[in-house]
């Protein structure tokens, strides 16, 4: 690390658990963030400012005025721009040393598989089950840790699916894919703005812990938050040995 980096990341380096060695791991890390909206905004900001060296920000949507109530990666001047490009420019303003690749597309099939294979860790910051399951399948295939968050109305949830571990559950173990599941999204149900900030920040914290090798991740646990009462619930999640997506691991 150079002198500027030592100063920029000084408060991380002061942490005994992290230190220079942990910070250097962050600087060398490659992260894929799928979704540059309510969850992806705080997650990307914290990962970039914390010094993650290489971030791919993927989103096929454009910034709308109704996004600005909670999607803090974008400003009023960003309205009409692709979220991935608006996000890239904002992250560069915060930390020009982080390399940010904007992908203005809905990653799927081979493109998704390739993007996941090139990352050290993946953050699912999307808002629909189809994409969530596609990301999970790609992470299972390439054995990449997945940090998943979700928020709607006054509720949020966050978990880690550390697919490097044969005994860890995948997203499908907890939320099996079903044809009759209807997506609940903010456009139709609304969302209390700070919920996505809380959950997205927790996704960033879990990602930084996994990348630097500190602490204990949320793998095997799902945290559920009701902001109306500010009550947290923790649910233990077991791997399903018959899971259609990850059941073959360890065989």
């Amino acid at each position: 690390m150079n002198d500027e980096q030592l100063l920029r990341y000084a408060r991380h380096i002061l942490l005994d658990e992290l230190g220079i060695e942990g910070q250097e791991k962050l600087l060398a890390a490659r992260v894929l963030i799928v979704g540059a909206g309510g969850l992806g905004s705080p997650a990307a900001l914290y990962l970039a400012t914390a010094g993650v060296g290489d971030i791919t920000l993927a989103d096929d949507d454009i910034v709308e005025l109704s996004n600005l109530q909670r999607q803090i990666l974008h400003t009023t001047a960003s309205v009409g721009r692709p979220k991935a490009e608006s996000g890239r420019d904002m992250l560069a303003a915060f930390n020009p040393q982080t390399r940010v690749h904007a992908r203005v597309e809905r990653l799927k099939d081979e493109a998704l598989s390739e993007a996941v294979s090139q990352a050290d860790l993946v953050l699912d910051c999307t808002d629909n089950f189809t994409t969530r399951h596609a990301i999970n399948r790609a992470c299972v295939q390439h054995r990449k840790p997945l940090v998943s968050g979700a928020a709607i109305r006054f509720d949020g949830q966050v978990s880690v699916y550390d697919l490097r571990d044969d005994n860890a559950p995948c997203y499908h173990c907890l939320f099996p894919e079903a044809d009759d599941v209807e997506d609940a999204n903010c456009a139709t149900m609304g969302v209390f703005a700070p919920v996505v900030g809380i959950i997205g920040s927790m996704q960033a914290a879990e990602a930084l812990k996994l990348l630097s090798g500190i602490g204990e991740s949320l793998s095997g646990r799902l945290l559920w938050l009701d902001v109306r009462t500010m009550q947290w619930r923790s649910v233990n999640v077991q791997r399903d040995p018959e899971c259609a997506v990850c059941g073959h691991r360890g065989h």
Side-chain angles (χ1 to χ4, degrees):
M1 275 189 283
N2 58 37
D3 289 345
E4 181 185 343
Q5 289 172 320
L6 288 169
L7 184 59
R8 181 183 284 269
Y9 308 120
R11 300 304 185 272
H12 264 177
I13 293 168
L14 286 170
L15 298 170
D16 290 340
E17 299 89 341
L18 194 63
I20 287 180
E21 183 180 349
Q23 187 61 51
E24 286 181 333
K25 289 179 181 177
L26 298 181
L27 291 169
R30 299 169 62 93
V31 172
L32 169 64
I33 303 176
V34 187
L39 297 170
S41 287
L45 281 167
Y46 273 115
L47 293 185
T49 55
V52 169
D54 193 286
I55 295 174
T56 296
L57 196 58
D59 198 308
D60 67 338
D61 204 1
I62 63 168
V63 180
E64 299 178 6
L65 193 61
S66 61
N67 299 149
L68 303 184
Q69 160 252 17
R70 66 202 176 282
Q71 299 185 14
I72 58 174
L73 199 53
H74 315 292
T75 67
T76 304
S78 305
V79 172
R81 293 191 65 200
K83 289 182 182 178
E85 294 180 357
S86 168
R88 174 197 60 202
D89 295 348
M90 181 67 84
L91 296 179
F94 275 94
N95 189 354
Q97 295 181 355
T98 292
R99 299 176 298 277
V100 183
H101 315 279
R103 297 192 62 164
V104 185
E105 60 181 303
R106 182 175 291 251
L107 289 179
K108 55 185 179 181
D109 303 328
E110 282 302 313
L112 175 60
S113 178
E114 182 183 2
V116 168
S117 72
Q118 294 175 355
D120 298 312
L121 179 143
V122 180
L123 276 79
D124 178 357
C125 299
T126 64
D127 62 358
N128 69 87
F129 285 114
T130 300
T131 305
R132 288 181 182 280
H133 282 290
I135 294 169
N136 178 66
R137 285 193 296 270
C139 287
V140 169
Q141 178 188 354
H142 297 290
R143 300 182 71 94
K144 303 292 185 176
L146 171 62
V147 183
S148 177
I152 196 73
R153 295 177 57 79
F154 293 92
D155 301 309
Q157 64 186 44
V158 60
S159 190
V160 168
Y161 305 96
D162 193 344
L163 300 162
R164 300 169 299 182
D165 178 2
D166 283 341
N167 297 314
C170 80
Y171 181 81
H172 190 277
C173 292
L174 182 58
F175 301 105
E177 196 165 8
D179 295 334
D180 58 350
V181 172
E182 289 189 17
D183 282 317
N185 60 57
C186 302
T188 56
M189 300 188 68
V191 62
F192 188 54
V195 176
V196 292
I198 295 167
I199 300 300
S201 296
M202 292 185 70
Q203 287 182 264
E206 289 298 303
L208 293 172
K209 285 161 54 183
L210 286 162
L211 292 169
S212 60
I214 64 172
E216 180 182 332
S217 83
L218 277 174
S219 182
R221 281 190 296 151
L222 174 74
L223 287 185
W224 211 296
L225 171 65
D226 181 347
V227 169
R228 287 164 296 197
T229 58
M230 206 51 82
Q231 294 289 321
W232 287 95
R233 285 190 295 151
S234 179
V235 179
N236 290 329
V237 182
Q238 301 294 324
R239 180 190 169 199
D240 177 5
E242 304 300 320
C243 176
V245 175
C246 76
H248 63 280
R249 281 184 299 152
H251 291 178

